[in-house]
Amino acid sequence: MRRKTVLRSCLSAALLLSTVAAGVTTQASAAETPTAADNAPASPGLITAMQRDLGLTETQATARLKAEATARTVERAAKRVAGGSYGGSWFEADSGKLTVAITDNVRREAVEATGARVALVEHSERQLDAALARIDKLDAPSGVSGWHVDPKSSSVVVDVVAARKNDNDVQAFVTQARQAGPVTVDNSGQAPRTLAAGTVGGDPYYTGNVRCSIGFSVYGGFVTAGHCGQPSAGVSGWDGSYIGNFQGSSFPDNDYAWVNVGSGWWTVPVVLGWGTVSDQLVRGSGEAPVGASICRSGSTSHWHCGTVLAKNETVNYSQGAVHQMTKTNVCAEPGDSGGSFISGDQAQGVTSGGWGNCGSGGETWYQPINEILSRYGLTLHTA
């Protein structure tokens, strides 16, 4: 982002937001009430990407984005009125409606009054979160790829690597997990990996010989993945010039970090579209529900879209478990780590890891942005 090359400087400025993420302390509270920004029209590039990756028509993509924006507002209201009976929620793309799970019918009418559909389930979100916390304390073998709270099944889903499902240590872990609470086992999983890469010229930022992607601009710097660098490590940009240093970093357990920006670099509220779509403005960090569409920007595979599959997932990397992640079916590749996840114009999180690639497909996890902002006391840079 040096001023010496105006065109490249503008591109680098955009790179400070070139992957999707969500929220912050200040921004999170602002996102509670819809503003004019919530109703801003989607860019043609975003609509085009959704048509390509989700198989939608232009009309369907536009309608889905509008329905998802409504669902974000409904989700917050429904969760409040459901109280202790709240069991989670998910967006149904076919109907364009949010479904809210509750454990009894006492609050049904109040929840339905928010505009949500209602599903009766056995366990509350609080009970499922407690079961997940107990499973988090177990020592997971590499044949278990992760586990997450699933509101639809009202259970904690344990994902097992398909080729390892009969391993004795995997079976022993599943047995222990079932003792911790309601568990469903999915034996079709793949082994996750982080998505950093060796140095490649011309890409967004480097720490030593590691290349990663910038997530979202915050005032004073940008957020990214924790596995990309340790506190105080220096960061250089696309042209090799100094950007700043990692001011905070956590991995494993979490996978987030932030880097200060100076030396002629600056921040802008933009996620880079890489020529595939128009660069996207970031207007907030309202959290997208399960089932919502979501897109990702990264320095290797650039711009791709998909849907949110699960929240509050523990991902069992070879380096250790990372908690409270969100799973998507958006593809990613090495070098995309730290990049942006965005839903509409709302930042969702920074790319952590996954399996597969953008040729054959796969799944990718992101660290939700609001937790990062809260942890470091940062404020998301918004348009």
Side-chain angles (χ1 to χ4, degrees), residues 219-246:
Y219 287 99
F222 64 84
V223 294
T224 187
H227 69 263
C228 291
Q230 297 296 313
S232 78
V235 172
S236 59
W238 63 270
D239 61 353
S241 66
Y242 174 77
I243 295 177
N245 296 80
F246 278 84

Side-chain angles (χ1 to χ4, degrees), residues 67-82:
E68 289 172 353
T70 299
R72 288 195 295 269
T73 301
V74 170
E75 183 178 41
R76 293 191 291 268
K79 185 173 183 177
R80 283 196 297 269
V81 300

Side-chain angles (χ1 to χ4, degrees), residues 13 16-17 215-219 221-223 266-270 379-381:
L16 285 183
L17 299 168
F216 291 94
S217 286
V218 296
Y219 287 99
F222 64 84
V223 294
W266 65 93
T267 66
V268 290
V270 171
T379 299
L380 186 66
H381 192 168

Side-chain angles (χ1 to χ4, degrees), residues 48-232:
T48 299
M50 292 178 67
Q51 290 178 256
R52 179 196 67 192
D53 293 341
L54 299 178
L56 304 175
T57 66
E58 180 178 353
T59 299
Q60 288 171 331
T62 301
R64 178 161 176 169
L65 286 172
K66 184 177 181 180
E68 289 172 353
T70 299
R72 288 195 295 269
T73 301
V74 170
E75 183 178 41
R76 293 191 291 268
K79 185 173 183 177
R80 283 196 297 269
V81 300
S85 71
Y86 180 74
S89 62
W90 59 91
F91 178 78
E92 297 282 2
D94 291 343
S95 66
K97 296 289 186 180
L98 184 79
T99 298
V100 173
I102 56 176
T103 57
D104 61 62
N105 280 318
V106 174
R107 304 290 181 95
R108 176 182 285 271
E109 290 187 4
V111 172
E112 289 177 335
T114 68
R117 292 182 171 180
V118 170
L120 196 63
V121 296
E122 186 175 355
H123 305 286
S124 69
E125 182 180 64
R126 185 177 303 173
Q127 291 171 321
L128 295 176
D129 286 348
L132 183 137
R134 288 189 288 270
I135 296 173
D136 281 344
K137 295 178 181 179
L138 302 177
D139 185 14
S142 59
V144 175
S145 60
W147 48 95
H148 66 273
V149 168
D150 176 38
K152 285 188 178 182
S153 64
S154 196
S155 67
V156 176
V157 175
V158 174
D159 294 305
V160 173
V161 177
R164 306 283 300 279
K165 64 182 181 180
N166 294 321
D167 289 4
N168 291 336
D169 56 352
V170 170
Q171 292 300 312
F173 179 87
V174 169
T175 298
Q176 289 180 296
R178 292 188 189 281
Q179 295 171 354
V183 162
T184 300
V185 178
D186 183 346
N187 289 314
S188 63
Q190 301 287 330
R193 58 192 173 97
T194 55
L195 296 169
T199 300
V200 175
D203 286 291
Y205 85 86
Y206 310 94
T207 304
N209 67 340
V210 172
R211 170 171 59 88
C212 282
S213 300
I214 292 167
F216 291 94
S217 286
V218 296
Y219 287 99
F222 64 84
V223 294
T224 187
H227 69 263
C228 291
Q230 297 296 313
S232 78

Side-chain angles (χ1 to χ4, degrees), residues 43-49 52 271-280 303:
S43 72
L46 177 58
I47 297 298
T48 299
R52 179 196 67 192
V271 170
L272 189 65
W274 289 99
T276 302
V277 300
S278 301
D279 295 347
Q280 303 294 301
W303 185 273

